[in-house]
Amino acid sequence: MTAGEAVPPSGLWSPGGSGPASSGHLVLPGTGLVPGPVEGWRPLSDDPRWYERAVFYEVVPRGFYDSNGDGIGDLAGVVEKLDYLAWLGVDCLWLLPYYPSPLRDGGYDVSDYYSIAPECGTVDDLARLIEEAHRRGIRVIADLVINHTSDEHAWFQESRSSRDNPKADWYVWSDDDQAMSDIRVIFCDTESSNWTWDSVRQQFYWHRFFHHQPDLNYENPEVREAIMQVVRFWLDLGLDGFRLDAAAYLYQREGTTGENLPETHAFLQRMRKEIDRDYPNRMLLAEVNQWPLDVIDYFGQGDECNMCFHFPLMPRMFMAVRREQRFPITEILAQTPPVPEGAQWGIFLRNHDELTLEMVSEDERDYMYAEYASDPRMRKNLGIRRRLAPLVENDRRVAELLHGLLLSLPGSPVLYYGDELLMGDNIYLGDRDGVRTPMQWTPDRNGGFSRADFAQLFLPPSMDPVYGFQSVNVEAGLRDQSSFLHWLHRMLGIRRQYPVFAKGELEVVPADNPSILAYVRSAAPAGGIPLGAGPSAEAGAPPDNRAVLCVNNLSRFAQSAEISLGRFEGYAPVELVGRTTFPVVGSSGYSMSLGPHGFYWLELQGG
Amino acid sequence: MAPLPSALAALAAPYLERQLWYQSAIAGLPPAPIELSNCDVLRDGRPGLSRLLLTQGSRVFQLLVGWRPATAVAGVLKGRESSLLGSALDDAEPVLVYEALADDELIIDLLEVVSGGTETAERVRRVSTLVSHASVVFDERLFMKLYRVLEEGERPEAEAMFRLDSVGFNAILAPVARWRDHGFDLALVREFLPSALEGRLLALTSLRDLLAHASGSDEHGGLRYGQDVRDADVETAAAGGDFASEMRRLGTTTARLHLALRAAFGERTMDAGVLAAGLEGAAALPEGTPGKARELAELAEEIAQLGKGAVGPALRIHGDYHLRRVMRSEIGWIVAGFADDPLYATARPHPSLPARVGSPVEDLADMCFSLHRVAVEALAQRPAAEAELAGELAAAWERRNQASFLEGYVTTPAARSLLPREPATTDALLAAFELVRERRYEATPSEE
């Protein structure tokens, strides 16, 4: 699909039906009429580096769509919404944990690696989801929680049962709780130590997260092999890869921080090697909440993780907008080393966790709390548990600007479900549930999420007067051509036409106004001249080397700036949304004016 | 071959007299002829390049001249025809002579000469031309100051840059090359950080955000002081564009600068009496508000009573430290330059100390005053109807950022050794130096 492709202004994918919707048909609301098949979706690419260009979309299966009316979202429900996601422009779904779990940490406490929580469906449902997604050109990756299990996992139950059972060393046990005491406690709001006493085994066990999530002992080769078997099981089913939860903490050792140890890298490299050997075109996306200089190691020499999240960039985008100056962003970009060939950053604005502030200074954290989490209920651990729209006070222009940054900075963007609607949160729900409320599909009962009774629902849908499902929902967004949903769909289409957004070099362009952040994405190495393709590029086969100038006004006031485009002298910038040609770049500074929180993407043509 | 020095000198004298920068440089000096003291050929042939050192009374000037055949000049000067000096004979053939700064090829040659052949460039961008020097950027990577008005001995900026670099102080635009000859500093090449911005712009951005609270504070149902605006200090601390953390970082950078200056140039004991005498001298100057003169005189008297060593050490300081002299870059704050214009030697509050040696508190006071000036500048942009509320907010902004700057300074390890032992003495010095700065500004508002 392209940015300009018409979409049915009043169209809606059937919230309940499985036939037409799942086969790529549209149902007009209220009529039940099927107007005929839409143009076929994109085929699944055979590019082994597909993830470098992909737009990811994070789905909480329990909160996305309930297909069987039990009040809990499920995998079959995700299948029913695939056409919507394909229309939006999503290339890859990232499914949050669907494994059986006591759900004391949103499913990140797995009690069985080989099946699917009954409320989420079955292994067959997942297989169908993968198949249907692939038919629409969408890949599917899933969370893999390999650092720890739930304390209800059979492995742990056996391990704790005695000191000499076959799995006695599958977890990290100790007679005292002082070992490795220098290693920080991550969930500092709820846990006072990384050790917890087990009354059955009469020993302490190690956990980097909640006490009910004992860490697996990777020193034990049996554990390493067991996890590799889990990996193979799901890849055999057809998954396109994994998001590796808490990848930095697999090993721990006295006298270290317990993070980023060489042994951890060695294990991840082994995993990558086996996947590359047996499962082509799959990928690993690491969750490593560290500074870029540490995270870069998780790419190895291009032989470890294919992708890593860039955590420090995210809070700095918010900070830059609030401070109305570019340095929070340019500073972290300057500290970000180049990635090896075949590697890519994952960048995001919000996700299922709190807006993490681990990778900022104390000053910056205080600032972020003051600006974005004035109510203590909004805070969680070292972060802010809020969705995008409330964070930016529902300011459409700021939301567009932040997405403009997200889609144009180096990395593959990861969208969080519901943010395309500017959904709100519910800070009165516990833990991080406030940002995991049901997807809002329609203004009908339960926001179209489920036909179950309200009391049965997985979490209550938002009924907030501003963000509630009555006004903020997919149906309304689709009907309104000027909605944020349509805007994002168009921008994703434009982004797809310009591969430099995905893998081009980034060159920050000097601007004489601190509120203006300008950069050029180009296929040429920084300092080189990109090959100007000009407007005559053949339709449908855009060359990969068109450079794009991105200019962002981080201020809520109109701004002008002179930007230094010296090496692009003679080029004509063409705005990508309206295709308006701007004045040709001359030998002196290039003057630009931008409205409040405005931004331009400009193709640099000619030269 | 090259045109004869005498021929070049004959062309240079009238050329200089036509230049505004030259006229400013000799303003107030007794009339004297322009004479050639040195002529060095830097590039023979065509185009050619020579360096002229010319004197006019006690002043020494540097002028770089180039020459080409007449037919080649128009394409080179491209709109900079005012750089032409005239025609001369080169190897018996006529050439046109012009100021070499107008010729990209010659400027790149010059870079190679200045850097001893270690640097070259492809693109040239001319930036500000001030009275005492011209500035050129190469490939958005290197920045060259070519001194026009020369000063015997070491140019303070070049000296400070290299000495700071040698002691490992990295919050400067790293010096790359220094061109010295005939006892003068002739040019300085430094790293150029294209995306760095002067601190004043960031401060104004912060104020713009804050003062928007005052928008429509009267008739449009906007914020009203005492109602929507809780308290100017609270509002300032809560503003999105809060600048305090930046100023704290700048305070730290400033302390590191002073520690590095001490490491590079050493320190000496400051005599309170000498310092007080300097302050009294500043208080006695006729310019400025009489009330402030009295206040300064009182502070000077108070400082004079302090014992030996009570006012902290004297060391090489920046001497003209304000928000235009510092830049924010991706690597943090950097000190972009040092005041070294021989035409604008700053009056010393304690003339018995060597030039540019003084209390580090002077620099702190300069920066605090600079924050005040930015607040005044931002306020001037707001409508008169908002003056009361905007004024309150701007004053709160000034207080908050001055405090953060000083906090960043004093909490830097070892920074307390740069200050008087008693915090009250630091406060007194700070107040006194701010008054000196204020009076200097009142006398010459354009000085900053």
mmCIF file of all heavy atoms in Angstrom, chain A residues 571-600:
data_model
loop_
_atom_site.group_PDB
_atom_site.id
_atom_site.type_symbol
_atom_site.label_atom_id
_atom_site.label_comp_id
_atom_site.label_asym_id
_atom_site.label_seq_id
_atom_site.Cartn_x
_atom_site.Cartn_y
_atom_site.Cartn_z
ATOM 1 N N TYR A 571 20.514 21.714 -4.365
ATOM 2 C CA TYR A 571 19.435 20.734 -4.236
ATOM 3 C C TYR A 571 18.099 21.456 -3.987
ATOM 4 O O TYR A 571 18.062 22.511 -3.360
ATOM 5 C CB TYR A 571 19.694 19.783 -3.064
ATOM 6 C CG TYR A 571 20.698 18.695 -3.364
ATOM 7 C CD1 TYR A 571 22.034 18.993 -3.572
ATOM 8 C CD2 TYR A 571 20.306 17.368 -3.428
ATOM 9 C CE1 TYR A 571 22.961 17.994 -3.840
ATOM 10 C CE2 TYR A 571 21.231 16.354 -3.703
ATOM 11 C CZ TYR A 571 22.551 16.685 -3.900
ATOM 12 O OH TYR A 571 23.454 15.690 -4.172
ATOM 13 N N ALA A 572 17.023 20.836 -4.443
ATOM 14 C CA ALA A 572 15.686 21.403 -4.202
ATOM 15 C C ALA A 572 14.961 20.520 -3.185
ATOM 16 O O ALA A 572 14.713 19.346 -3.458
ATOM 17 C CB ALA A 572 14.904 21.451 -5.501
ATOM 18 N N PRO A 573 14.639 21.055 -2.030
ATOM 19 C CA PRO A 573 13.880 20.259 -1.056
ATOM 20 C C PRO A 573 12.412 20.161 -1.483
ATOM 21 O O PRO A 573 11.788 21.168 -1.831
ATOM 22 C CB PRO A 573 14.019 21.062 0.246
ATOM 23 C CG PRO A 573 15.121 22.059 -0.006
ATOM 24 C CD PRO A 573 15.078 22.338 -1.475
ATOM 25 N N VAL A 574 11.881 18.965 -1.450
ATOM 26 C CA VAL A 574 10.468 18.748 -1.788
ATOM 27 C C VAL A 574 9.785 18.113 -0.583
ATOM 28 O O VAL A 574 10.203 17.042 -0.113
ATOM 29 C CB VAL A 574 10.331 17.826 -3.019
ATOM 30 C CG1 VAL A 574 8.854 17.531 -3.302
ATOM 31 C CG2 VAL A 574 10.991 18.457 -4.230
ATOM 32 N N GLU A 575 8.750 18.771 -0.106
ATOM 33 C CA GLU A 575 8.073 18.310 1.103
ATOM 34 C C GLU A 575 7.336 17.000 0.795
ATOM 35 O O GLU A 575 6.675 16.878 -0.242
ATOM 36 C CB GLU A 575 7.110 19.406 1.573
ATOM 37 C CG GLU A 575 6.715 19.291 3.029
ATOM 38 C CD GLU A 575 5.546 18.354 3.226
ATOM 39 O OE1 GLU A 575 4.682 18.285 2.317
ATOM 40 O OE2 GLU A 575 5.497 17.674 4.263
ATOM 41 N N LEU A 576 7.460 16.023 1.666
ATOM 42 C CA LEU A 576 7.025 14.679 1.313
ATOM 43 C C LEU A 576 5.518 14.447 1.405
ATOM 44 O O LEU A 576 5.000 13.536 0.765
ATOM 45 C CB LEU A 576 7.738 13.645 2.201
ATOM 46 C CG LEU A 576 9.252 13.544 2.032
ATOM 47 C CD1 LEU A 576 9.797 12.324 2.772
ATOM 48 C CD2 LEU A 576 9.625 13.443 0.569
ATOM 49 N N VAL A 577 4.814 15.235 2.177
ATOM 50 C CA VAL A 577 3.374 14.992 2.304
ATOM 51 C C VAL A 577 2.622 15.663 1.158
ATOM 52 O O VAL A 577 1.851 15.033 0.451
ATOM 53 C CB VAL A 577 2.847 15.489 3.668
ATOM 54 C CG1 VAL A 577 1.345 15.234 3.787
ATOM 55 C CG2 VAL A 577 3.583 14.786 4.808
ATOM 56 N N GLY A 578 2.878 16.938 0.954
ATOM 57 C CA GLY A 578 2.160 17.678 -0.082
ATOM 58 C C GLY A 578 2.930 17.792 -1.388
ATOM 59 O O GLY A 578 2.407 18.328 -2.358
ATOM 60 N N ARG A 579 4.175 17.321 -1.429
ATOM 61 C CA ARG A 579 5.062 17.401 -2.604
ATOM 62 C C ARG A 579 5.271 18.838 -3.055
ATOM 63 O O ARG A 579 5.362 19.126 -4.244
ATOM 64 C CB ARG A 579 4.522 16.552 -3.767
ATOM 65 C CG ARG A 579 4.235 15.115 -3.431
ATOM 66 C CD ARG A 579 5.389 14.346 -2.876
ATOM 67 N NE ARG A 579 6.570 14.271 -3.737
ATOM 68 C CZ ARG A 579 7.661 13.583 -3.440
ATOM 69 N NH1 ARG A 579 7.725 12.915 -2.289
ATOM 70 N NH2 ARG A 579 8.692 13.577 -4.241
ATOM 71 N N THR A 580 5.310 19.757 -2.139
ATOM 72 C CA THR A 580 5.601 21.153 -2.466
ATOM 73 C C THR A 580 7.112 21.333 -2.566
ATOM 74 O O THR A 580 7.851 20.870 -1.698
ATOM 75 C CB THR A 580 5.076 22.096 -1.359
ATOM 76 O OG1 THR A 580 3.686 21.847 -1.199
ATOM 77 C CG2 THR A 580 5.319 23.548 -1.704
ATOM 78 N N THR A 581 7.553 22.021 -3.622
ATOM 79 C CA THR A 581 8.982 22.270 -3.783
ATOM 80 C C THR A 581 9.365 23.547 -3.045
ATOM 81 O O THR A 581 8.726 24.584 -3.211
ATOM 82 C CB THR A 581 9.342 22.397 -5.271
ATOM 83 O OG1 THR A 581 8.939 21.201 -5.927
ATOM 84 C CG2 THR A 581 10.842 22.604 -5.444
ATOM 85 N N PHE A 582 10.377 23.457 -2.253
ATOM 86 C CA PHE A 582 10.882 24.596 -1.500
ATOM 87 C C PHE A 582 12.017 25.256 -2.300
ATOM 88 O O PHE A 582 12.541 24.657 -3.236
ATOM 89 C CB PHE A 582 11.403 24.136 -0.136
ATOM 90 C CG PHE A 582 10.333 23.966 0.912
ATOM 91 C CD1 PHE A 582 9.113 23.379 0.598
ATOM 92 C CD2 PHE A 582 10.547 24.391 2.209
ATOM 93 C CE1 PHE A 582 8.122 23.212 1.555
ATOM 94 C CE2 PHE A 582 9.563 24.230 3.185
ATOM 95 C CZ PHE A 582 8.352 23.645 2.858
ATOM 96 N N PRO A 583 12.406 26.469 -1.927
ATOM 97 C CA PRO A 583 13.499 27.130 -2.651
ATOM 98 C C PRO A 583 14.773 26.280 -2.656
ATOM 99 O O PRO A 583 15.060 25.564 -1.700
ATOM 100 C CB PRO A 583 13.715 28.427 -1.865
ATOM 101 C CG PRO A 583 12.424 28.675 -1.185
ATOM 102 C CD PRO A 583 11.847 27.326 -0.883
ATOM 103 N N VAL A 584 15.496 26.408 -3.743
ATOM 104 C CA VAL A 584 16.740 25.645 -3.908
ATOM 105 C C VAL A 584 17.758 26.079 -2.853
ATOM 106 O O VAL A 584 17.829 27.251 -2.482
ATOM 107 C CB VAL A 584 17.304 25.873 -5.330
ATOM 108 C CG1 VAL A 584 18.697 25.280 -5.477
ATOM 109 C CG2 VAL A 584 16.350 25.263 -6.358
ATOM 110 N N VAL A 585 18.512 25.140 -2.370
ATOM 111 C CA VAL A 585 19.531 25.432 -1.348
ATOM 112 C C VAL A 585 20.659 26.240 -1.998
ATOM 113 O O VAL A 585 21.186 25.837 -3.044
ATOM 114 C CB VAL A 585 20.101 24.125 -0.761
ATOM 115 C CG1 VAL A 585 21.204 24.426 0.246
ATOM 116 C CG2 VAL A 585 18.995 23.292 -0.132
ATOM 117 N N GLY A 586 20.969 27.370 -1.388
ATOM 118 C CA GLY A 586 22.046 28.210 -1.905
ATOM 119 C C GLY A 586 23.335 27.995 -1.150
ATOM 120 O O GLY A 586 23.478 27.029 -0.390
ATOM 121 N N SER A 587 24.246 28.919 -1.336
ATOM 122 C CA SER A 587 25.560 28.750 -0.719
ATOM 123 C C SER A 587 25.569 29.215 0.730
ATOM 124 O O SER A 587 26.440 28.839 1.503
ATOM 125 C CB SER A 587 26.614 29.510 -1.514
ATOM 126 O OG SER A 587 26.248 30.865 -1.579
ATOM 127 N N SER A 588 24.587 30.044 1.085
ATOM 128 C CA SER A 588 24.571 30.508 2.481
ATOM 129 C C SER A 588 23.534 29.697 3.265
ATOM 130 O O SER A 588 22.964 28.742 2.748
ATOM 131 C CB SER A 588 24.243 31.994 2.518
ATOM 132 O OG SER A 588 23.048 32.222 1.821
ATOM 133 N N GLY A 589 23.303 30.079 4.488
ATOM 134 C CA GLY A 589 22.375 29.348 5.346
ATOM 135 C C GLY A 589 20.978 29.297 4.737
ATOM 136 O O GLY A 589 20.557 30.215 4.042
ATOM 137 N N TYR A 590 20.284 28.203 5.011
ATOM 138 C CA TYR A 590 18.944 27.994 4.456
ATOM 139 C C TYR A 590 17.929 28.395 5.520
ATOM 140 O O TYR A 590 17.891 27.826 6.612
ATOM 141 C CB TYR A 590 18.784 26.527 4.086
ATOM 142 C CG TYR A 590 17.602 26.229 3.209
ATOM 143 C CD1 TYR A 590 17.617 26.582 1.860
ATOM 144 C CD2 TYR A 590 16.465 25.603 3.710
ATOM 145 C CE1 TYR A 590 16.530 26.297 1.040
ATOM 146 C CE2 TYR A 590 15.382 25.319 2.897
ATOM 147 C CZ TYR A 590 15.421 25.672 1.562
ATOM 148 O OH TYR A 590 14.345 25.392 0.746
ATOM 149 N N SER A 591 17.098 29.385 5.180
ATOM 150 C CA SER A 591 16.141 29.893 6.170
ATOM 151 C C SER A 591 14.842 29.100 6.121
ATOM 152 O O SER A 591 14.320 28.829 5.039
ATOM 153 C CB SER A 591 15.830 31.361 5.892
ATOM 154 O OG SER A 591 16.969 32.125 6.138
ATOM 155 N N MET A 592 14.367 28.747 7.284
ATOM 156 C CA MET A 592 13.094 28.026 7.354
ATOM 157 C C MET A 592 12.264 28.567 8.508
ATOM 158 O O MET A 592 12.799 29.022 9.518
ATOM 159 C CB MET A 592 13.328 26.533 7.602
ATOM 160 C CG MET A 592 14.073 25.848 6.488
ATOM 161 S SD MET A 592 13.975 24.067 6.628
ATOM 162 C CE MET A 592 12.349 23.794 5.944
ATOM 163 N N SER A 593 10.957 28.512 8.330
ATOM 164 C CA SER A 593 10.035 28.860 9.412
ATOM 165 C C SER A 593 9.126 27.673 9.653
ATOM 166 O O SER A 593 8.696 27.025 8.696
ATOM 167 C CB SER A 593 9.185 30.067 9.022
ATOM 168 O OG SER A 593 10.014 31.152 8.714
ATOM 169 N N LEU A 594 8.868 27.397 10.893
ATOM 170 C CA LEU A 594 7.993 26.269 11.227
ATOM 171 C C LEU A 594 6.967 26.712 12.255
ATOM 172 O O LEU A 594 7.274 27.502 13.158
ATOM 173 C CB LEU A 594 8.791 25.093 11.798
ATOM 174 C CG LEU A 594 9.735 24.378 10.830
ATOM 175 C CD1 LEU A 594 11.146 24.900 10.991
ATOM 176 C CD2 LEU A 594 9.714 22.870 11.055
ATOM 177 N N GLY A 595 5.757 26.188 12.110
ATOM 178 C CA GLY A 595 4.717 26.490 13.083
ATOM 179 C C GLY A 595 4.993 25.775 14.388
ATOM 180 O O GLY A 595 5.918 24.962 14.488
ATOM 181 N N PRO A 596 4.180 26.057 15.408
ATOM 182 C CA PRO A 596 4.381 25.419 16.714
ATOM 183 C C PRO A 596 4.434 23.899 16.578
ATOM 184 O O PRO A 596 3.558 23.297 15.965
ATOM 185 C CB PRO A 596 3.145 25.851 17.501
ATOM 186 C CG PRO A 596 2.686 27.102 16.835
ATOM 187 C CD PRO A 596 3.033 26.965 15.385
ATOM 188 N N HIS A 597 5.475 23.311 17.118
ATOM 189 C CA HIS A 597 5.664 21.850 17.082
ATOM 190 C C HIS A 597 5.545 21.270 15.669
ATOM 191 O O HIS A 597 5.173 20.118 15.489
ATOM 192 C CB HIS A 597 4.673 21.148 18.023
ATOM 193 C CG HIS A 597 4.981 21.388 19.475
ATOM 194 N ND1 HIS A 597 4.014 21.632 20.416
ATOM 195 C CD2 HIS A 597 6.155 21.443 20.143
ATOM 196 C CE1 HIS A 597 4.571 21.808 21.600
ATOM 197 N NE2 HIS A 597 5.880 21.705 21.449
ATOM 198 N N GLY A 598 5.846 22.091 14.692
ATOM 199 C CA GLY A 598 5.755 21.616 13.309
ATOM 200 C C GLY A 598 7.003 20.862 12.893
ATOM 201 O O GLY A 598 8.049 20.953 13.528
ATOM 202 N N PHE A 599 6.857 20.084 11.851
ATOM 203 C CA PHE A 599 8.039 19.426 11.300
ATOM 204 C C PHE A 599 7.852 19.188 9.817
ATOM 205 O O PHE A 599 6.733 19.118 9.321
ATOM 206 C CB PHE A 599 8.358 18.112 12.025
ATOM 207 C CG PHE A 599 7.435 16.970 11.729
ATOM 208 C CD1 PHE A 599 7.722 16.055 10.718
ATOM 209 C CD2 PHE A 599 6.265 16.794 12.458
ATOM 210 C CE1 PHE A 599 6.865 15.002 10.445
ATOM 211 C CE2 PHE A 599 5.400 15.744 12.191
ATOM 212 C CZ PHE A 599 5.699 14.846 11.181
ATOM 213 N N TYR A 600 8.971 19.130 9.117
ATOM 214 C CA TYR A 600 8.955 18.841 7.689
ATOM 215 C C TYR A 600 9.862 17.654 7.409
ATOM 216 O O TYR A 600 10.930 17.521 8.007
ATOM 217 C CB TYR A 600 9.532 20.019 6.877
ATOM 218 C CG TYR A 600 8.765 21.306 6.944
ATOM 219 C CD1 TYR A 600 9.433 22.513 7.163
ATOM 220 C CD2 TYR A 600 7.391 21.344 6.745
ATOM 221 C CE1 TYR A 600 8.753 23.715 7.202
ATOM 222 C CE2 TYR A 600 6.707 22.551 6.791
ATOM 223 C CZ TYR A 600 7.386 23.727 7.024
ATOM 224 O OH TYR A 600 6.721 24.912 7.064
#
